[in-house]
Amino acid sequence: MKRTSRALVVFAAGIFAVSASAQDLKPGLWEVSSKLQSASGETEKAAAEMSAEMASMPPEQRKMMEEMMAKQGVKMGAGGPGTMTARTCMTQEMVERNELPAQQGKCKTTSQPRSGNTLKMSFICTDPPSSGEGQYTFVSPEAYTTRMVVRTTTQGRPETMNMNASGKWLGADCGDVKPIKAPAAK
């Protein structure tokens, strides 16, 4: 998978480690749907290319790729073109530590104190190289929305992407979806 596509998958999952007042959220299986928009259109182009690559694969290979992504809780295009859906497990321990599910990658995240139902955060990642800021709005113990601005490099050029996401609680049982461990503090 191309580096652009890898970054797209990481960002579109839209799941960052944030120390928050997550005690208002329920532990269990969560589904996060994300949509990215970029100023240059490169992100959308990469998503379309990735979808086209998947569509052109022989059925057995496509099934294998979809199953591999599903094991990570990821499904492309589940909410329409350019949308990615990821499922993640939030354990009772994560809730008790006031932690939201972690992003895969090497990232340092800082958050501001929660104000009402809103939490603002910023992040810097080294793999994939990126930075940004965002805001979580906790709608209920079973739902939240996120808006983020992500700065990265696509095909050697700086790129700014806007991501809108929503998370919804699916149930207490995570099934075969494993929690993503938060990166170790440095």
Side-chain angles (χ1 to χ4, degrees):
M1 192 179 291
K2 294 180 197 172
R3 184 166 183 78
T4 302
S5 299
R6 179 174 176 262
L8 176 66
V9 169
V10 170
F11 291 126
I15 305 167
F16 292 85
V18 178
S19 177
S21 294
Q23 68 266 19
D24 292 344
L25 297 179
K26 290 184 173 184
L29 185 63
W30 283 79
E31 182 174 82
V32 181
S33 296
S34 329
K35 183 160 179 100
L36 288 172
Q37 291 182 300
S38 64
S40 69
E42 289 296 321
T43 300
E44 294 85 343
K45 184 178 172 185
E49 287 173 4
M50 193 169 169
S51 292
E53 286 175 27
M54 289 280 288
S56 68
M57 290 178 178
E60 303 82 29
Q61 187 180 6
R62 183 174 53 247
K63 183 179 179 193
M64 190 170 70
M65 180 66 92
E66 288 171 347
E67 287 174 354
M68 183 179 75
M69 291 171 64
K71 285 180 183 176
Q72 299 298 315
V74 177
K75 185 174 184 182
M76 298 289 295
T83 302
M84 182 179 289
T85 300
R87 288 187 175 185
T88 187
C89 182
M90 191 162 78
T91 66
Q92 181 65 40
E93 292 77 22
M94 292 167 78
V95 170
E96 289 169 1
R97 286 192 310 261
N98 299 323
E99 177 184 309
L100 289 172
Q103 175 193 352
Q104 294 181 355
K106 296 178 181 151
C107 302
K108 179 177 180 184
T109 303
T110 56
S111 60
Q112 298 174 2
R114 183 169 163 174
S115 175
N117 69 337
T118 302
L119 174 77
K120 293 183 179 182
M121 52 78 73
S122 61
F123 62 93
I124 296 174
C125 302
T126 57
D127 183 20
S130 56
S131 64
E133 56 277 331
Q135 176 175 304
Y136 284 86
T137 302
F138 301 97
V139 179
S140 75
E142 298 180 359
Y144 66 88
T145 60
T146 305
R147 296 179 65 165
M148 292 194 185
V149 176
V150 179
R151 289 173 293 283
T152 189
T153 302
T154 303
Q155 297 179 350
R157 293 187 300 264
E159 179 77 85
T160 299
M161 297 178 282
N162 292 303
M163 184 187 76
N164 291 306
S166 60
K168 68 179 179 180
W169 184 75
L170 299 178
D173 184 5
C174 291
D176 60 354
V177 177
K178 302 295 179 214
I180 299 172
K181 299 207 185 297
K186 293 184 178 180

